[in-house]
Amino acid sequence: MAWRYIADDGVGAAVGLAADEVVTRRQGRGQSPPTLRLYTYRSHCALVGRFQRLGSELRLDECRRAGVQVNRRPTGGGAIIMGADQLGIAIMAPAPAGERSYDRARELFARFSSGLTAALGALGIAAEYRRKNDVEVGRKKIAGLGIYFDPAGGMLFHASLLVDLDVAFMLSVLRTPFEKISDKEIATVGERMTTIRRELGREVTTAEVRELVRVAYARTLGLELEPGPFSSEECLEIAALARERYETEKWLGREPATPDAMGSATVKTEGGLLTAHLTLAGEVIKAIYLTGDFFTDDAILAGMERALRWHPVGAEAVTETLEALREREALALPGVPSEAVARAVELAADAARRHELAGLAKGCFVNP
């Protein structure tokens, strides 16, 4: 099966997103060939998910100070930082009516992340699709996934692959559940994710990674990839969409139906002090980090946090989930019962609600 292959670098936020949407829209009309696009944004761009609020997810003053372009993706998911060391992947193809369902998102994520896991495997990095929309290496996130179905009949699969990442810089522009950002908080976030360079312990260029990803997608999807530029018609539509949507306040200033609120709380346990830092979207845990002076393995904390993201905030439900995780995967903090974790979560949620009522609600950092 022949698909078009596009590689470009240093694209701006508005034009980069408009290009993916235009080609996706044209898929349903048969006006553009199915396309694999592997590209980088200019350093740097901060992109939030379709249903997020810029001011909740990003430190906009810091973005302006650092010259970071901000925008909103057509796909869902969380806020990410993109630049020369983060490879963007866009698969744009027709989606038959029976396949245009977000209920099939996990199935499609598994299928279209296969090129990423195969490319990483070629580098000797064992990766797998896990959880809601992540590709992980040893329970650490290395790529985030997103999907969008255009009403005209096209599908857009988005991914961001971390060749490298400046965690401190990322946290300076993305909002987090932490009340302050110090070396400890930077280390906490850094332990939950990884990059290709970190895994290899050596330098590797984004261009090298892109070529491996291209070859892997050709093999895993059975494609013959033919290099080709955007057509002149596509370029005109991309420029128009960037101007009429992605550069407008109406698109950038969209508000979610449910605002976010942040809170933290600490409880004392036999295993040590435990602090829960979380962000609520309504009564759902949108993001959570567990810190403290206990002794454990990074993978245990990451697994517990993963289980509680997008989870109801109620203490009983949290306890049941953590107990199931303890039995199923032996993931638990030594000397810290599930009820204590649930209590910390409950108190942090109460703090978040108080902040929200006081008009101080802020957004969260959701891993890229």
Side-chain angles (χ1 to χ4, degrees):
M1 184 187 309
W3 280 28
R4 177 176 57 176
Y5 170 62
I6 294 177
D8 48 351
D9 288 299
V11 303
V15 171
L17 295 169
D20 290 342
E21 184 170 352
V22 163
V23 176
T24 300
R25 183 173 59 200
R26 291 169 62 93
Q27 296 299 314
R29 302 169 182 167
Q31 297 171 328
S32 291
T35 300
L36 170 66
R37 183 185 182 208
L38 303 179
Y39 61 110
T40 63
Y41 284 89
R42 53 152 286 188
S43 295
H44 287 91
C45 294
L47 310 176
V48 305
R50 185 182 185 94
F51 305 106
Q52 294 184 308
R53 178 178 178 267
L54 264 71
S56 291
E57 307 299 327
L58 308 176
R59 301 177 187 273
L60 294 176
D61 288 346
E62 182 61 26
C63 288
R64 284 188 285 269
R65 189 198 68 77
V68 175
Q69 293 186 359
V70 303
N71 219 295
R72 179 190 309 282
R73 301 189 308 277
T75 50
I80 58 174
I81 190 81
M82 297 293 288
D85 290 331
Q86 295 80 46
L87 182 65
I89 296 95
I91 292 176
M92 296 152 283
E99 295 185 5
R100 292 199 299 273
S101 170
Y102 290 100
D103 291 337
R104 299 186 61 237
R106 289 185 62 86
E107 174 189 341
L108 294 170
F109 283 154
R111 176 187 177 194
F112 290 115
S113 65
S114 61
L116 300 180
T117 55
L120 291 167
L123 286 167
I125 300 173
E128 60 180 335
Y129 164 62
R130 286 178 61 89
R131 206 163 59 90
K132 184 166 73 84
N133 63 325
D134 294 344
V135 172
E136 297 183 356
V137 176
R139 297 185 182 276
K140 295 183 178 182
K141 184 171 184 174
I142 198 168
L145 316 175
I147 200 162
Y148 167 70
F149 296 105
D150 186 86
M155 180 212 70
L156 168 62
F157 169 83
H158 256 170
S160 57
L161 177 62
L162 300 180
V163 179
D164 206 355
L165 183 68
D166 183 339
V167 175
F169 176 76
M170 178 184 70
L171 293 183
S172 74
V173 297
L174 272 65
R175 291 194 181 275
T176 78
F178 299 115
E179 294 181 1
K180 62 179 182 177
I181 303 298
S182 66
D183 290 346
K184 180 179 178 181
E185 280 67 42
I186 291 170
T188 294
V189 174
E191 289 164 358
R192 271 61 166 184
M193 59 179 56
T194 190
T195 70
I196 291 176
R197 289 177 187 163
R198 183 192 298 179
E199 291 298 314
L200 295 180
R202 63 176 175 85
E203 186 70 18
V204 60
T205 68
T206 303
E208 291 176 81
V209 174
R210 172 163 38 206
E211 178 60 15
L212 289 171
V213 171
R214 183 192 68 80
V215 170
Y217 270 114
R219 184 175 72 254
T220 59
L221 298 183
L223 304 176
E224 181 180 340
L225 293 171
E226 301 175 351
F230 293 108
S231 70
S232 57
E233 286 186 357
E234 287 173 335
C235 289
L236 289 174
E237 289 187 35
I238 290 167
L241 186 62
R243 182 177 62 253
E244 297 168 7
R245 174 180 296 174
Y246 287 99
E247 295 174 356
T248 66
E249 180 58 31
K250 181 178 179 181
W251 177 252
L252 297 177
R254 288 180 56 181
E255 295 282 342
T258 303
D260 294 338
M262 292 194 303
S264 298
T266 300
V267 297
K268 187 175 182 179
T269 75
E270 180 183 340
L273 293 176
L274 169 72
T275 301
H277 313 265
L278 59 76
T279 300
L280 289 183
E283 290 300 303
V284 173
I285 301 170
K286 183 177 178 182
I288 183 168
Y289 291 98
L290 301 174
T291 62
D293 60 1
F294 40 76
F295 295 92
T296 191
D297 186 86
D298 291 341
I300 291 177
L301 276 181
M304 293 173 66
E305 292 164 351
R306 182 186 306 110
L308 294 178
R309 290 191 183 115
W310 303 109
H311 187 284
V313 76
E316 184 176 343
V318 169
T319 300
E320 289 179 0
T321 294
L322 293 178
E323 282 299 299
L325 190 67
R326 184 193 297 266
E327 296 217 359
R328 186 175 66 251
E329 300 183 41
L331 296 182
L333 296 175
V336 181
S338 299
E339 291 82 1
V341 180
R343 178 59 176 162
V345 169
E346 183 177 51
L347 292 173
D350 288 342
R353 295 186 191 101
R354 289 195 298 271
H355 287 173
E356 184 178 16
L357 289 174
L360 300 176
K362 298 189 183 298
C364 77
F365 163 70
V366 178
N367 288 344

